[in-house]
Tab-separated table of all heavy atoms in Angstrom:
chain	number	residue	atom	x	y	z
A	1	GLY	N	-9.552	-3.280	-8.788
A	1	GLY	CA	-9.726	-4.609	-9.457
A	1	GLY	C	-10.919	-5.315	-9.017
A	1	GLY	O	-11.332	-5.268	-7.697
A	2	GLY	N	-11.656	-6.013	-9.966
A	2	GLY	CA	-12.928	-6.549	-9.579
A	2	GLY	C	-14.028	-5.446	-9.457
A	2	GLY	O	-13.995	-4.427	-10.260
A	3	SER	N	-15.001	-5.597	-8.486
A	3	SER	CA	-16.036	-4.815	-8.419
A	3	SER	C	-15.927	-3.610	-7.557
A	3	SER	O	-16.827	-2.873	-7.355
A	3	SER	CB	-17.270	-5.617	-7.903
A	3	SER	OG	-17.077	-6.013	-6.626
A	4	GLY	N	-14.767	-3.419	-7.027
A	4	GLY	CA	-14.511	-2.320	-6.001
A	4	GLY	C	-13.149	-1.692	-6.169
A	4	GLY	O	-12.253	-2.201	-6.782
A	5	ARG	N	-13.030	-0.675	-5.234
A	5	ARG	CA	-11.611	-0.118	-5.046
A	5	ARG	C	-11.317	-0.090	-3.581
A	5	ARG	O	-12.209	0.142	-2.776
A	5	ARG	CB	-11.580	1.288	-5.612
A	5	ARG	CG	-11.758	1.292	-7.170
A	5	ARG	CD	-11.475	2.588	-7.766
A	5	ARG	NE	-12.546	3.573	-7.562
A	5	ARG	CZ	-12.689	4.879	-7.920
A	5	ARG	NH1	-11.687	5.294	-8.718
A	5	ARG	NH2	-13.769	5.549	-7.615
A	6	LEU	N	-10.145	-0.332	-3.149
A	6	LEU	CA	-9.604	-0.238	-1.842
A	6	LEU	C	-8.632	0.900	-1.642
A	6	LEU	O	-7.624	0.880	-2.414
A	6	LEU	CB	-8.913	-1.642	-1.534
A	6	LEU	CG	-9.782	-2.900	-1.689
A	6	LEU	CD1	-9.019	-4.064	-1.646
A	6	LEU	CD2	-10.825	-2.908	-0.595
A	7	THR	N	-8.976	1.794	-0.685
A	7	THR	CA	-8.052	2.846	-0.291
A	7	THR	C	-7.363	2.581	0.979
A	7	THR	O	-8.069	2.406	2.006
A	7	THR	CB	-8.885	4.151	-0.180
A	7	THR	OG1	-9.563	4.570	-1.434
A	7	THR	CG2	-7.990	5.307	0.199
A	8	LEU	N	-6.026	2.426	0.838
A	8	LEU	CA	-5.206	2.250	2.013
A	8	LEU	C	-4.601	3.506	2.448
A	8	LEU	O	-3.909	4.146	1.696
A	8	LEU	CB	-4.050	1.250	1.809
A	8	LEU	CG	-3.091	0.918	2.951
A	8	LEU	CD1	-3.803	0.310	4.118
A	8	LEU	CD2	-1.979	0.108	2.422
A	9	SER	N	-5.003	3.940	3.681
A	9	SER	CA	-4.344	5.166	4.332
A	9	SER	C	-3.040	4.767	5.121
A	9	SER	O	-3.204	3.899	5.939
A	9	SER	CB	-5.452	5.947	5.142
A	9	SER	OG	-6.451	6.187	4.397
A	10	MET	N	-1.990	5.520	4.988
A	10	MET	CA	-0.816	5.175	5.583
A	10	MET	C	-0.123	6.536	6.006
A	10	MET	O	-0.589	7.553	5.610
A	10	MET	CB	0.149	4.452	4.602
A	10	MET	CG	-0.339	3.209	4.182
A	10	MET	SD	0.852	2.367	2.931
A	10	MET	CE	0.721	3.565	1.520
A	11	PRO	N	0.871	6.481	6.898
A	11	PRO	CA	1.666	7.674	7.213
A	11	PRO	C	2.243	8.379	6.086
A	11	PRO	O	2.417	9.605	6.105
A	11	PRO	CB	2.701	7.210	8.345
A	11	PRO	CG	2.095	5.873	8.810
A	11	PRO	CD	1.354	5.225	7.697
A	12	GLU	N	2.714	7.610	5.195
A	12	GLU	CA	3.313	8.147	4.073
A	12	GLU	C	3.042	7.242	2.780
A	12	GLU	O	2.663	6.209	2.916
A	12	GLU	CB	4.903	8.408	4.175
A	12	GLU	CG	5.557	7.072	4.314
A	12	GLU	CD	5.648	6.624	5.778
A	12	GLU	OE1	5.831	7.511	6.709
A	12	GLU	OE2	5.543	5.436	6.038
A	13	THR	N	3.240	7.877	1.505
A	13	THR	CA	3.008	7.065	0.279
A	13	THR	C	4.070	6.083	0.121
A	13	THR	O	5.263	6.401	0.248
A	13	THR	CB	2.838	8.113	-0.894
A	13	THR	OG1	1.844	9.075	-0.595
A	13	THR	CG2	2.659	7.359	-2.239
A	14	VAL	N	3.674	4.946	-0.294
A	14	VAL	CA	4.624	3.890	-0.612
A	14	VAL	C	4.277	3.201	-1.900
A	14	VAL	O	2.976	2.938	-2.228
A	14	VAL	CB	4.637	2.766	0.529
A	14	VAL	CG1	5.543	1.592	0.258
A	14	VAL	CG2	4.980	3.268	1.832
A	15	VAL	N	5.161	2.987	-2.746
A	15	VAL	CA	4.950	2.361	-3.983
A	15	VAL	C	4.884	0.887	-4.002
A	15	VAL	O	5.598	0.208	-3.318
A	15	VAL	CB	6.071	2.768	-4.999
A	15	VAL	CG1	5.910	2.077	-6.394
A	15	VAL	CG2	6.233	4.271	-5.131
A	16	ALA	N	3.825	0.355	-4.633
A	16	ALA	CA	3.652	-1.067	-4.578
A	16	ALA	C	4.437	-1.770	-5.551
A	16	ALA	O	4.910	-1.151	-6.611
A	16	ALA	CB	2.112	-1.381	-5.083
A	17	ALA	N	4.762	-3.068	-5.295
A	17	ALA	CA	5.595	-3.818	-6.181
A	17	ALA	C	5.209	-5.289	-6.057
A	17	ALA	O	4.829	-5.820	-4.991
A	17	ALA	CB	7.137	-3.769	-5.824
A	18	ASP	N	5.114	-5.974	-7.212
A	18	ASP	CA	4.758	-7.387	-7.255
A	18	ASP	C	3.465	-7.715	-6.572
A	18	ASP	O	3.184	-8.640	-5.861
A	18	ASP	CB	5.852	-8.265	-6.556
A	18	ASP	CG	7.172	-8.153	-7.231
A	18	ASP	OD1	7.202	-8.016	-8.421
A	18	ASP	OD2	8.166	-8.060	-6.541
A	19	GLY	N	2.521	-6.790	-6.785
A	19	GLY	CA	1.109	-7.000	-6.227
A	19	GLY	C	0.890	-6.753	-4.709
A	19	GLY	O	-0.079	-7.238	-4.220
A	20	GLU	N	1.809	-6.122	-4.208
A	20	GLU	CA	1.742	-5.865	-2.767
A	20	GLU	C	2.385	-4.501	-2.304
A	20	GLU	O	3.210	-4.039	-3.164
A	20	GLU	CB	2.242	-6.940	-1.881
A	20	GLU	CG	3.801	-7.136	-1.968
A	20	GLU	CD	4.182	-8.280	-1.060
A	20	GLU	OE1	3.581	-9.459	-0.980
A	20	GLU	OE2	5.368	-8.071	-0.457
A	21	ILE	N	2.097	-4.048	-1.164
A	21	ILE	CA	2.804	-3.029	-0.526
A	21	ILE	C	3.513	-3.513	0.685
A	21	ILE	O	2.861	-4.149	1.470
A	21	ILE	CB	1.918	-1.804	-0.129
A	21	ILE	CG1	1.356	-1.135	-1.590
A	21	ILE	CG2	2.589	-0.764	0.671
A	21	ILE	CD1	0.398	-0.090	-1.207
A	22	SER	N	4.718	-3.136	0.835
A	22	SER	CA	5.569	-3.706	1.953
A	22	SER	C	6.477	-2.523	2.495
A	22	SER	O	7.100	-1.832	1.615
A	22	SER	CB	6.388	-4.936	1.668
A	22	SER	OG	7.019	-5.438	2.875
A	23	VAL	N	6.388	-2.149	3.710
A	23	VAL	CA	7.141	-1.098	4.222
A	23	VAL	C	7.805	-1.427	5.708
A	23	VAL	O	6.987	-2.141	6.463
A	23	VAL	CB	6.430	0.206	4.234
A	23	VAL	CG1	5.249	0.042	5.225
A	23	VAL	CG2	7.295	1.469	4.690
A	24	ARG	N	8.979	-0.998	6.028
A	24	ARG	CA	9.396	-1.195	7.305
A	24	ARG	C	9.644	0.240	7.959
A	24	ARG	O	9.979	1.196	7.262
A	24	ARG	CB	10.673	-1.936	7.301
A	24	ARG	CG	10.615	-3.370	7.017
A	24	ARG	CD	11.949	-4.189	7.194
A	24	ARG	NE	11.778	-5.555	6.834
A	24	ARG	CZ	12.654	-6.446	7.300
A	24	ARG	NH1	13.849	-6.094	7.906
A	24	ARG	NH2	12.458	-7.755	7.072
A	25	PHE	N	9.337	0.193	9.321
A	25	PHE	CA	9.640	1.588	9.972
A	25	PHE	C	10.031	1.288	11.400
A	25	PHE	O	9.677	0.113	11.958
A	25	PHE	CB	8.483	2.473	9.968
A	25	PHE	CG	7.095	1.758	10.307
A	25	PHE	CD1	6.640	1.781	11.801
A	25	PHE	CD2	6.345	1.146	9.371
A	25	PHE	CE1	5.480	1.133	11.998
A	25	PHE	CE2	5.184	0.579	9.693
A	25	PHE	CZ	4.754	0.487	11.107
C-alpha cells in the first residue's frame, strides 16, 4: 500500500484480519 511494501518475518505464517496481524504464543 502506498509507495512501498513491508515484509514481516515471523516464526510462522499468520493470516491478517481487519487491517492487522495479531497472534498469541
Side-chain angles (χ1 to χ4, degrees):
S3 62
R5 294 186 291 183
L6 299 166
T7 300
L8 176 65
S9 302
M10 301 179 288
E12 60 274 322
T13 301
V14 178
V15 177
D18 299 323
E20 68 177 42
I21 291 175
S22 185
V23 60
R24 291 189 176 193
F25 51 91

